[in-house]
């Protein structure tokens, strides 16, 4: 989502930049074209062509005046020379290039040059004025006659220059129009893109503002719920457990009174109340435990102890519970000395959890086997039942809080759903791991491993802090 | 170049090279109640400035040389308020602001690539602006001031 939006934003920014760049390039081209037009306006090839015509007329006039004796020979040759100089403007420089690029037919200019060269070799070859008035008139007549043959072609030249100029201007105007249209279009596109971009930014900003507000609300909620939880835990511990304990004590007292005059019905009711009271106390203790474990508030009373011994004690402690469920407990201690470091009470809690769980989910008449042995550098305890097994997909979630196995059908055995989660937290606090293996229909094995304090098994190397107890 | 060589040969044949008419005056400067005429030699005797430039009327960068216009006009006491009316042999004329000659090395070119110029080759005097040295001079209004076949300058 965010990636997509960033791409869109980049695309839009690109589009804006691109259209602005193209618009700038277009405007630069425009200004170039306009300056070119100004140039061709001022030094029109047409002006040069007209000057040529004009110069021919002046030479013609000079020849006429010379025939009539109103112009000197020097004056005539002066006009001839100026005419010569006019030719060069067609042959070099900017105008020559322009005329060539427009494909103007300049044959008349070449013809005039040829004619002037011929004059240099004939009429003006001696560079001496004719001696008589007669020969002067003759010379002028020849000049004027030959000159007249260029008149039409020169006019045509001017005309074609005019035509090409008009064409050029039309083309230029068209190009200008197209260009200005394009620039306008680009401008519109750029504005639209800019507008969209702005809108997008605004929406984005609004969204992130909203998000920030939401986050703040969430943070407030989180803080509130944390405080609520704290007070809940306080309530549970002080307001619930205290009266519960006194209720439990009272029931115990009633039950203990051998010579009570309770009717069998009332006795049964007291039993139910006793059992449920026990369950409630377990639940409250579990909740308090998990809360402490969560907050890392459990301070482990770390000591070195023999896990094999602890396992043995745990089996013995849970025997009554299992028997009540018509489940047998069998103990197999393969390695009698499994020294680990940790809080023995907590580990016993884990064992008790696993054994009672296994008993609960075992069919009547089956046996729960508890095995303790050394597995490499670790001490391993397995609790095997012959229950219906746990499906693979539940393995991961089984250690989650308040998780109840889907196979649990009997509400009688329903636990708090916290036992395994507490066990896992405790084992992990001891740098150990807890897991399970299960074959549906055949049974489940829960196991946990703790690092062995003394791998050598040699008692002489046993840590001094270890409280050595014989395995009975 | 071949074209130019041809022109020169013809000019020589016809005796039209400035060399043969050097004795006569080719430029008249007037204004501020003074008037002075100059022959080719007079102008060639002044310090010569070389200007290498392209312009509207030549095909490539060309070397022009001749006296600086401001040197020539110095004795006439021109000021920035004055305008120079430049006239050509066929009575064509343009006006040049004095600013131009004070701000730029405008010359009265007497030689093009070391050769003198005949009337046929836009000579003997061609006003040249150093356009290649000053890009701002490459503009239509300066093109118009490159008057050739110059015969007269009037300070107004």
């Amino acid at each position: 989502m965010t990636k997509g939006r960033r791409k869109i934003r980049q695309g839009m920014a690109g589009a804006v930049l691109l259209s602005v760049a193209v618009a700038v390039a277009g405007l630069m081209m425009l200004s170039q074209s306009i300056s070119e037009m100004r140039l061709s306006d001022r030094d029109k090839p047409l002006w040069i062509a007209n000057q040529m015509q004009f110069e021919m007329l002046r030479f013609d006039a000079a020849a006429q005046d010379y025939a009539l004796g109103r112009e000197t020979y020097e004056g005539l040759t002066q006009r001839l020379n100026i005419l010569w100089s006019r030719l060069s403007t067609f042959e070099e420089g900017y105008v020559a290039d322009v005329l060539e690029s427009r494909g103007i037919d300049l044959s008349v200019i070449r013809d005039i040059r040829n004619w002037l060269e011929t004059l240099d070799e004939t009429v003006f070859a001696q560079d001496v004025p004719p001696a008589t008035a007669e020969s002067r008139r003759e010379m002028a007549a020849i000049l004027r006659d030959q000159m007249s043959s260029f008149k039409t072609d020169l006019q045509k030249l001017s005309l074609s220059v005019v035509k090409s100029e008009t064409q050029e201007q039309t083309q230029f105007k068209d190009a200008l129009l197209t260009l200005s249209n394009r620039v306008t279009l680009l401008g519109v596109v750029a504005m639209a893109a800019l507008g969209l971009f702005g809108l997008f930014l605004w929406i984005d900003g609004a969204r992130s503002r909203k998000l920030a507000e939401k986050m703040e609300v969430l943070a407030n909620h989180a803080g509130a719920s944390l405080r609520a939880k704290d007070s809940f835990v306080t309530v549970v511990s002080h307001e619930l457990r205290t009266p519960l304990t006194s209720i439990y004590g009272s029931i115990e007292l009633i039950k203990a009174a051998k010579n009570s005059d309770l009717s069998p019905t009332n006795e049964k009711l007291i039993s139910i109340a006793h059992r449920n009271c026990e369950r409630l106390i377990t639940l409250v203790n579990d909740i308090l435990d998990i809360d402490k474990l969560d907050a890392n508030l459990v301070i482990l009373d770390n000591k070195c102890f023999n896990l094999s011994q602890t396992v043995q004690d745990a089996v013995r402690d849970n025997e009554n519970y299992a028997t009540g469920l018509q489940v047998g407990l069998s103990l197999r201690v393969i390695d009698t000395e499994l020294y680990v470091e940790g809080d023995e009470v907590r580990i016993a809690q884990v064992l008790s959890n696993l054994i009672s769980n296994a008993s609960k989910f075992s069919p009547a008449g089956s046996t729960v086997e508890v095995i303790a042995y050394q597995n490499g550098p670790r001490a391993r305890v397995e609790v095997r039942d012959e229950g219906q097994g746990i499906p693979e997909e539940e393995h991961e979630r089984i250690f989650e809080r308040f998780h109840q196995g889907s196979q649990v059908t009997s509400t009688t055995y329903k636990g708090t759903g916290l036992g395994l989660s507490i066990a896992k937290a405790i084992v992990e606090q001891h740098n150990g791991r807890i897991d399970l293996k299960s074959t549906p229909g055949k049974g489940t094995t829960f196991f946990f491993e703790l690092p062995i304090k003394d791998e050598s098994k040699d008692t002489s190397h046993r840590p001094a802090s270890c409280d050595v107890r014989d395995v009975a | 170049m071949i074209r130019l060589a041809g022109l020169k040969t013809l000019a020589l044949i016809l005796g039209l090279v400035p060399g043969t008419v050097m004795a006569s005056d080719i430029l008249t400067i007037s204004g501020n109640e003074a008037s002075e005429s100059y022959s080719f030699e007079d102008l060639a005797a002044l310090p010569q400035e070389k200007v290498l430039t392209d312009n509207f009327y030549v095909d490539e960068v060309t070397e022009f040389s001749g006296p600086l216009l401001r040197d020539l006009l110095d004795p006439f006491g021109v000021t920035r308020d004055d305008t120079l009316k430049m006239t050509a042999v066929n009575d064509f004329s343009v006006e040049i602001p004095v600013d131009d000659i004070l701000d730029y090395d405008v010359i009265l070119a007497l030689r093009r690539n070391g050769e003198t110029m005949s009337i046929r080759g836009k000579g003997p005097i061609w006003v040249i602006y150093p356009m290649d040295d000053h890009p701002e001079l490459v503009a239509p209004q300066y093109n118009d001031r490159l008057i050739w076949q110059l015969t007269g300058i009037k300070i107004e």
Side-chain angles (χ1 to χ4, degrees):
Chain A
M1 186 67 192
T2 324
K3 237 183 197 175
R5 232 185 302 154
R6 194 180 307 150
K7 264 187 188 162
I8 293 172
R9 217 170 1 195
Q10 280 170 352
M12 278 186 173
V16 172
L17 273 180
L18 191 74
S19 34
V20 167
V22 174
V24 167
L27 286 173
M28 277 163 74
M29 270 164 63
L30 197 71
S31 81
Q32 176 75 24
S33 306
I34 287 169
S35 78
E36 266 172 24
M37 184 174 75
R38 266 212 326 256
L39 202 68
S40 59
D41 248 349
R42 286 291 199 101
D43 282 82
K44 276 178 190 168
L46 179 60
W47 188 79
I48 300 282
N50 285 342
Q51 283 296 306
M52 187 69 206
Q53 250 182 305
F54 180 56
E55 214 50 62
M56 284 290 271
L57 286 173
R58 290 187 82 171
F59 187 44
D60 185 46
Q64 192 178 3
D65 285 350
Y66 183 60
L68 297 173
R70 291 196 301 231
E71 179 63 276
T72 61
Y73 182 76
E74 283 72 30
L76 183 65
T77 52
Q78 178 88 313
R79 292 253 68 93
L80 176 70
N81 289 337
I82 293 171
L83 190 56
W84 262 105
S85 73
R86 280 281 155 219
L87 276 181
S88 70
T89 53
F90 283 95
E91 291 164 344
E92 63 174 341
Y94 173 79
V95 170
D97 291 344
V98 168
L99 292 177
E100 198 192 332
S101 72
R102 291 189 198 168
I104 303 275
D105 178 16
L106 290 173
S107 55
V108 61
I109 299 299
R110 284 191 293 275
D111 291 345
I112 290 172
R113 167 172 280 279
N114 288 336
W115 172 60
L116 291 181
E117 279 172 0
T118 316
L119 286 185
D120 279 347
E121 286 158 12
T122 55
V123 181
F124 297 103
Q126 302 304 314
D127 196 24
V128 181
T132 62
E134 181 61 32
S135 54
R136 213 164 57 201
R137 275 195 293 277
E138 207 174 296
M139 176 185 162
I142 291 169
L143 287 177
R144 296 192 65 202
D145 180 49
Q146 291 177 345
M147 216 182 301
S148 63
S149 66
F150 300 111
K151 204 177 159 188
T152 322
D153 284 344
L154 269 177
Q155 278 168 353
K156 275 186 190 161
L157 174 68
S158 283
L159 207 66
S160 64
V161 169
V162 169
K163 251 162 103 180
S164 77
E165 210 127 281
T166 314
Q167 245 167 19
E168 189 98 325
Q169 272 179 8
T170 313
Q171 272 173 12
F172 176 75
K173 272 178 197 156
D174 284 351
L176 207 67
L177 207 67
T178 315
L179 200 65
S180 87
N181 281 345
R182 273 186 204 153
V183 168
T184 311
L185 188 71
L186 274 168
V188 170
V189 169
M191 288 311 287
L194 208 64
L196 269 175
F197 189 55
L199 188 72
F200 209 78
L201 277 182
W202 184 78
I203 290 171
D204 228 34
R207 199 175 294 190
S208 59
R209 265 199 307 281
K210 224 178 245 174
L211 202 69
E213 276 165 23
K214 246 187 223 165
M215 294 291 271
E216 210 184 316
V217 170
L218 274 178
N220 285 343
H221 281 186
S225 68
L226 207 69
R227 282 191 297 278
K229 202 178 111 194
D230 280 350
S231 63
F232 170 71
V233 169
T234 316
V235 167
V236 166
S237 81
H238 295 291
E239 311 296 325
L240 196 56
R241 197 158 65 164
T242 315
L244 205 53
T245 311
S246 60
I247 293 169
Y248 185 71
S250 305
I251 292 172
E252 288 258 271
L253 281 173
I254 294 170
K255 272 190 86 179
K258 294 270 180 191
N259 51 351
S260 68
D261 47 359
L262 283 172
S263 64
T265 319
N266 283 349
E267 209 164 317
K268 202 178 172 191
L269 283 173
I270 288 294
S271 273
I272 292 170
H274 183 257
R275 201 168 62 238
N276 280 298
C277 223
E278 271 183 332
R279 276 193 63 196
L280 266 177
I281 288 172
T282 315
L283 176 66
V284 168
N285 286 340
D286 278 359
I287 287 173
L288 286 173
D289 266 356
I290 200 81
D291 191 66
K292 277 193 216 155
L293 285 165
D294 255 9
N296 258 337
L297 287 176
V298 173
I299 297 158
L300 294 177
D301 181 18
N302 281 342
K303 274 179 190 150
C304 188
F305 65 94
N306 189 348
L307 185 59
S308 292
Q309 185 62 52
T310 316
V311 169
Q312 222 164 317
D313 295 346
V315 168
R316 200 182 51 219
D317 291 348
N318 282 280
E319 223 145 28
N320 280 340
Y321 179 78
T323 311
L325 295 166
Q326 295 175 19
V327 173
L329 285 187
S330 93
L331 172 67
R332 194 142 61 94
V333 176
I334 295 169
D335 294 294
T336 51
E337 294 192 351
L338 291 172
Y339 287 94
V340 296
E341 190 168 24
D343 190 329
E344 193 176 0
V345 178
R346 289 288 174 187
I347 296 300
Q349 191 183 350
V350 172
L351 281 164
S352 180
N353 250 322
L354 293 182
I355 294 167
S356 63
N357 257 358
S359 308
K360 260 191 278 181
F361 297 106
S362 287
S366 67
T367 306
V368 169
E369 193 179 20
V370 182
I371 311 161
Y373 63 98
Q374 182 171 351
N375 181 26
R378 290 165 175 271
R380 183 177 171 117
V381 179
E382 294 187 0
V383 179
R384 297 179 182 172
D385 66 47
E386 292 169 359
Q388 48 190 313
I390 298 162
E392 184 81 32
E393 60 268 23
E394 279 188 41
H395 286 197
E396 247 181 62
R397 293 183 46 226
I398 199 136
F399 291 105
E400 281 174 16
R401 231 174 277 180
F402 299 110
H403 180 82
Q404 296 275 357
S406 61
Q407 308 286 323
V408 180
T409 45
S410 164
T411 49
T412 321
Y413 304 134
K414 208 166 185 175
T416 59
L418 289 170
L420 283 176
S421 139
I422 291 170
K424 184 175 161 74
I426 292 172
V427 169
E428 282 173 358
Q429 267 198 320
H430 283 82
N431 299 320
R433 74 178 186 104
I434 187 166
D435 211 340
L436 75 151
K437 288 181 292 188
S438 184
T439 315
K442 287 198 170 169
T444 307
T445 301
F446 275 92
F447 62 90
F448 68 90
E449 290 184 334
L450 299 176
I452 281 184
K453 183 76 184 169
D454 176 26
E455 291 170 44
S456 69
K457 277 195 178 183
D458 183 349
T459 49
S460 61
H461 291 104
R462 196 175 297 151
S465 67
C466 273
D467 174 28
V468 185
R469 281 192 288 168
D470 288 328
V471 181
Chain B
M1 282 314 280
I2 295 164
R3 211 189 294 142
L4 271 177
L7 273 175
K8 208 187 149 233
T9 317
L10 278 169
L12 277 173
I13 293 168
L14 299 169
L16 293 167
V17 221
T20 57
V21 288
M22 264 184 221
S24 59
D25 293 334
I26 57 168
L27 177 70
T28 305
I29 301 176
S30 61
N32 294 341
E33 288 155 15
S35 183
E36 193 77 57
S37 289
Y38 301 87
S39 68
F40 184 87
E41 288 82 6
D42 295 336
L43 295 172
L46 291 164
Q48 303 290 295
E49 181 80 13
K50 269 186 194 170
V51 171
L52 263 172
T53 190
D54 192 3
N55 67 39
F56 209 73
Y57 306 101
V58 294
D59 283 337
E60 56 195 3
V61 175
T62 308
E63 185 199 290
F64 295 96
S65 62
L68 281 167
L69 192 46
R70 66 168 166 268
D71 286 354
L72 202 60
L73 292 177
D74 194 43
F76 291 86
V78 288
T79 64
R80 282 191 185 267
D81 298 330
D82 295 332
T83 302
L84 307 173
K85 190 179 179 189
M86 319 289 279
T87 311
V89 70
N90 60 344
D91 303 326
F92 174 79
S93 74
V94 290
E95 290 189 345
I96 292 180
V98 170
D99 285 342
D100 281 9
I101 66 164
L102 295 179
D103 297 341
Y104 305 107
D105 291 342
V106 179
I107 61 167
L108 296 185
L110 302 174
R111 287 186 164 83
R112 175 177 173 172
N113 291 329
E115 307 284 347
T116 55
M117 298 173 284
S118 65
I119 289 181
R120 292 183 177 192
K122 299 192 179 77
I125 303 171
W126 187 356
V127 175
I128 292 295
Y129 278 60
M131 291 175 160
D132 280 12
D133 297 334
H134 304 277
E136 69 271 20
L137 294 179
V138 183
Q141 70 265 32
Y142 292 106
N143 280 332
D144 292 349
R145 294 172 194 173
L146 301 182
I147 183 168
W148 58 73
Q149 296 163 341
L150 184 76
T151 55
I153 301 175
K154 202 174 170 199
I155 302 156
E156 292 179 335

